[in-house]
Amino acid sequence: MVAGPTLRLGVIGLGRAFTLMLPGLRAHRRYALVAAADPNEDNRRRFAAEFGAKVYETEQAMCRNGGVDAVYIATPHQWHAANTLVAAAAGKHVLVEKPMALSIADCYTMIEACRAAKVALVVGHSHSFDAPIRRAYEIIASGSVGAVKMLHALDYTDFLYRPRRPEELDPDAGGGAVFNQGAHQVDVARLLCGGKSSSVRAVTAAWDRARPVEAAYSALVTFESGAAASLTYSGFAHFDSDELMGWIGEGGAVKDAAHYGDTRRALKGQDEAAMRRARSYGATAGTAAAPAPARYHPHFGPLIVSCEHADLRPLPDCIWIYGDGEKYQEKLPPPQPRQEVLDAFYDAAVHGRAPAQTGEWGLATLEVCLAIAQSAREGREIALHHQTAVP
Ligand SMILES: NC(=O)c1ccc[n+]([C@@H]2O[C@H](COP(=O)([O-])OP(=O)(O)OC[C@H]3O[C@@H](n4cnc5c(N)ncnc54)[C@H](O)[C@@H]3O)[C@@H](O)[C@H]2O)c1
């Protein structure tokens, strides 16, 4: 755990992303949850009661009066840029959820605003912060396995059939798997392949006419380092790639394989907006049992990183290293929920030590995601121009 004074945090957007970050925020001794902003009254009421904290309808009011040093922006993507500009203008450090924004222009505006205000800008949580990925990065950076030549990442989930807000099913509003899920896979691949992608050739798929948004993609991303990454995602709730991860789910919890098809079945004939509201932070006050702490590290599906002298396979509790002469396993210490991203943001805000996942990094990842969509639309390879190396 990082050292230093308490960072007073205000949350903008008390939805699903916040509930996923909450166990980490509770466990982390350097953060105090002192304020929140959300237009939803139930969410505000629960937050005020749970943390004895101030709550506001708008981020402007929170940044003005909430006594916060930093904000965690967990609103829908389309608000990330506007929320960041308000926070930066008020001198607050910014941790913004992925994807950083919906356009490259918005990302540049956010970076500039934070630079001018001399506040930190970190984009996360993404799975590039996961401890197994971090360890794979360290092994590669040590030089012991040679340069990365090829990376294969795969994730099959029930993404499309989880209850959704309307804009999450609208490709023009940042809906679909490329925007929502691509940032995780692209962040991981960029971290392990040197950061600077050169080009993308991809296909996307939207084959359920009842939910006509891209829920799958397959992309080949080349890198200046000479590496190439193939990234495949499918959210059609058929095969579940957690089967290849020992039935450990994305968040690191053990999953019951007997629940095949539940997500799709639960949605049938239901009022989706009501289902989504019923799962929100405020609506579940007093009803939801606290989830058991995850026993394993989070992951984003099977991943094989081929280097000159070894294949690396990061898993939720270890890394397998398939070297020239032998294969061996490196065990990882037990997980602390979201500690990596919270430590990184704390370090950036309090000590001025930026992680890899800065605003410039988030912009470059968004460029790759936008290129996946463009390549699929236009049927051609897209060159990339806004890439950054791993610092
Ligand atoms: N990193 C992860 O693991 C992860 C997981 C889920 C979501 N996310 C990201 O988090 C973001 C939010 O997604 P979600 O699933 O939590 O959505 P959500 O709909 O569950 O929650 C969004 C919350 O923001 C509030 N809100 C809306 N507009 C606001 C505004 N202008 N100011 C303040 N609050 C506002 C809503 O009332 C709601 O409570 C998305 O960008 C998504 O990609 C990240």
Side-chain angles (χ1 to χ4, degrees), residues 12-17 20 37-40 43 59 74-77 79-80 83 97-99 125 165 168 180 184 276 338:
I12 308 178
L14 297 170
R16 170 112 185 105
L20 295 174
D38 195 303
N40 178 311
N43 288 346
E59 72 274 26
T75 52
H77 326 324
W79 296 105
H80 292 180
N83 296 155
E97 268 298 345
K98 60 81 206 158
H125 161 73
R165 285 181 264 108
E168 289 178 291
N180 272 282
H184 287 300
R276 180 122 175 109
R338 295 281 169 95

Side-chain angles (χ1 to χ4, degrees), residues 6 94 161 190 194 216 220 316 359:
T6 300
V94 174
Y161 301 96
R190 289 189 54 236
L220 183 67

Side-chain angles (χ1 to χ4, degrees), residues 133-149:
I133 302 299
R134 180 79 214 167
R135 185 62 198 132
Y137 167 76
E138 287 167 1
I139 292 170
I140 293 162
S142 76
S144 62
V145 292
V148 177
K149 293 294 178 188

Side-chain angles (χ1 to χ4, degrees), residues 198-202 219-222 368 371-372 375 380-384:
S198 316
S199 73
V200 175
R201 179 69 177 95
L220 183 67
V221 185
T222 62
V368 177
I372 291 174
S375 172
R380 65 183 180 92
E381 188 172 2
I382 306 295
L384 301 167

